[in-house]
Amino acid sequence: EVRPIFKRNGGKCRAVNLAYDKNPDFDFYMVIDSDEEIVEGAINQLFKKVTQYLQDETVGSIYFWRDMNNDLEMKKRFMNRPNGDCIQNIYGRKRNDKIYGDGAIGYYNRFLKKYHFKEFEGENFIGEITILLEAALIGYADQVVYVDSVISKGSYSKLGLSAQGRKLRIKNPYGMIYYSAMMQSNKMRNWRINAKYMISAQAYAWISHIKKTDLKVRGISASCLKWWAVIPGIIVGEYWKRI
């Protein structure tokens, strides 16, 4: 059964929230983007993996591979994907891990029942990884199964989220400050990575004249705005405005 839900565009994460709110009784929710299509045998692969981990309460989501043919870096990661399943929360994943790529993520009911993507009025973009970071901090259903199954393929759209880059992020400063705050919370990353997101938070705050009191009202930890990152943040913010 295909049942479309129509709403004004509010971004991908808000769409996932709405889909769950209107259909709260399914076991699993798979997200497929508009610039990809499922491959032959995808449904069987999906059913197999969802069933395999259905009773494991520690598992909240499953990461499937997708083959995006117009991105050389992602193509390289796709070709070097590991064999077999790897289970860990998002804190265990680093940029240089072979399992890192741009996959299609699906969520169990137990996960979306507890976690929703943050929504900020007037904004329609936030990093999808934030919900997995929230789960890792709380420790409930925080394990992600990275499988070697390929369920979709496609090409990045020139109008898609990936192609819009920094301009899209600047238009959604609260979402990006929240994203930066959550990335700072990852204690397993090295200090260089944490510093990067501390400076990013200040850069977005500078561009949009956002203060700590503005963050508190929207449920964002003001501690993500570090005093030492103000000057580097201004420099980065001014650079972003010019690219």
Side-chain angles (χ1 to χ4, degrees), residues 163-226:
Q164 293 184 50
R166 188 64 59 190
K167 291 182 179 180
L168 174 69
R169 292 167 173 80
I170 290 175
K171 291 179 181 179
N172 298 272
Y174 284 108
M176 293 313 300
I177 292 174
Y178 178 70
Y179 171 82
S180 298
M182 295 300 291
M183 293 298 282
Q184 290 177 38
S185 68
N186 189 340
K187 304 303 181 184
M188 291 185 68
R189 294 181 183 275
N190 61 48
W191 66 269
R192 292 183 181 87
I193 299 298
N194 286 332
K196 169 187 173 180
Y197 288 104
M198 292 170 185
I199 294 171
S200 293
Q202 284 288 8
Y204 288 114
W206 168 259
I207 290 172
S208 299
H209 310 290
I210 294 172
K211 301 177 181 179
K212 288 188 175 182
T213 52
D214 301 322
L215 299 184
K216 292 178 180 179
V217 170
R218 291 164 176 80
I220 304 174
S221 174
S223 64
C224 70
L225 297 181
K226 309 295 185 184

Side-chain angles (χ1 to χ4, degrees), residues 72-137:
L72 294 179
E73 178 61 27
M74 291 306 171
K75 187 72 174 180
K76 180 180 177 181
R77 295 181 186 275
F78 174 80
M79 297 301 294
N80 292 320
R81 65 190 185 280
N83 294 321
D85 296 352
C86 177
I87 306 176
Q88 58 190 33
N89 70 28
I90 202 69
Y91 277 179
R93 195 183 81 181
K94 300 179 181 179
R95 293 286 299 194
N96 60 351
D97 285 347
K98 286 186 178 181
I99 61 171
Y100 183 85
D102 189 10
I105 302 179
Y107 307 94
Y108 281 102
N109 184 294
R110 55 179 167 263
F111 185 89
L112 291 179
K113 188 175 183 179
K114 184 173 182 63
Y115 308 107
H116 263 40
F117 286 101
K118 280 278 191 179
E119 297 183 17
F120 299 99
E121 185 176 355
E123 295 191 9
N124 60 13
F125 177 76
I126 186 173
E128 294 172 65
I129 198 175
T130 53
I131 200 171
L132 298 177
L133 286 168
E134 182 180 347
L137 284 173

Side-chain angles (χ1 to χ4, degrees), residues 6 8 11 32 49 54 56 65 102 132 136 142 148 152-155 171 177 180 191 204 232:
F6 296 96
R8 183 179 179 181
I32 299 294
K49 291 299 180 181
L54 182 60
D56 188 342
W65 284 90
D102 189 10
L132 298 177
D142 63 324
D148 58 358
S152 64
K153 63 180 180 179
S155 301
K171 291 179 181 179
I177 292 174
S180 298
W191 66 269
Y204 288 114

Side-chain angles (χ1 to χ4, degrees), residues 30-68:
M30 190 67 222
V31 181
I32 299 294
D33 290 349
S34 60
D35 53 5
E36 61 183 309
E37 61 182 65
I38 61 173
V39 300
E40 184 177 354
I43 300 301
N44 288 335
Q45 288 286 344
L46 182 64
F47 183 80
K48 176 183 176 181
K49 291 299 180 181
V50 170
T51 303
Q52 181 178 347
Y53 295 98
L54 182 60
Q55 302 305 320
D56 188 342
E57 295 292 328
T58 67
V59 172
S61 54
I62 302 180
Y63 178 105
F64 295 89
W65 284 90
R66 59 185 179 190
D67 183 9
M68 305 303 282

